[in-house]
Amino acid sequence: MKKPLRGDTVRALVRGAAVTGLTVALAVPATAAVAVAPAAIPPGLSCHTGKHAIDDYTGYALCRNNGSATQTFWVHLVCGWSPDVDGDHVTLRPGESGQSTAHCAGLGSGIGEIHVHP
C-alpha cells in the first residue's frame, strides 16, 4: 500500500511544475512574439506590406489598383503593448499605386501584424 503524500511533498511538486512551466515560457525567443503576419489584401488591389528598414515601429502598405473601379485603402498596424494604429487613407484610380504608412508608439514591442483595410 502506498503512503499518502504529505503537505510538504505536494507543495514541492506544485512548485517544481510551476518553475518548469515558467522556464519553458521564458525559453521562447523574443522574435517569435514580433513576427509580422501576412496581410489580407482586399480584392482588386495588389499590395506589398512591411516594416521600415531601420525602424521596427513604422509599417507600410504599398498597393496598386488592378481593378476597374476607384478604391480606398489604409494600413492597420497591430502594435503589441501599445494601441493599434491606422495609416492615412489612400484613394487609387484604376492602374494607380500609392502607399499608406503608420507608426506604433515607442512604449510597445513594435509591430506584431500588418493588415490592409479597404
Side-chain angles (χ1 to χ4, degrees):
M1 189 151 131
K2 289 185 178 179
K3 289 174 124 181
L5 293 176
R6 291 181 36 205
D8 294 340
T9 305
V10 172
R11 279 191 290 277
L13 289 172
V14 170
R15 195 172 331 141
V19 169
T20 301
L22 181 59
T23 303
V24 170
L26 293 175
V28 174
T31 56
V34 295
V36 176
I41 308 300
L45 293 176
S46 64
C47 300
H48 173 74
T49 62
K51 293 182 189 178
H52 189 278
I54 57 173
D55 180 5
D56 283 340
Y57 292 88
T58 300
Y60 65 87
L62 175 61
C63 297
R64 176 175 174 79
N65 183 351
N66 294 324
S68 58
T70 299
Q71 292 199 52
T72 299
F73 77 95
W74 62 93
V75 69
H76 174 80
L77 304 180
V78 177
C79 296
W81 298 333
S82 295
D84 297 349
V85 293
D86 288 331
D88 47 324
H89 291 205
V90 178
T91 301
L92 302 175
R93 293 188 301 249
E96 288 184 331
S97 296
Q99 180 173 311
S100 176
T101 304
H103 186 81
C104 291
L107 299 175
S109 56
I111 299 170
E113 294 178 7
I114 301 174
H115 301 278
V116 179
H117 288 274

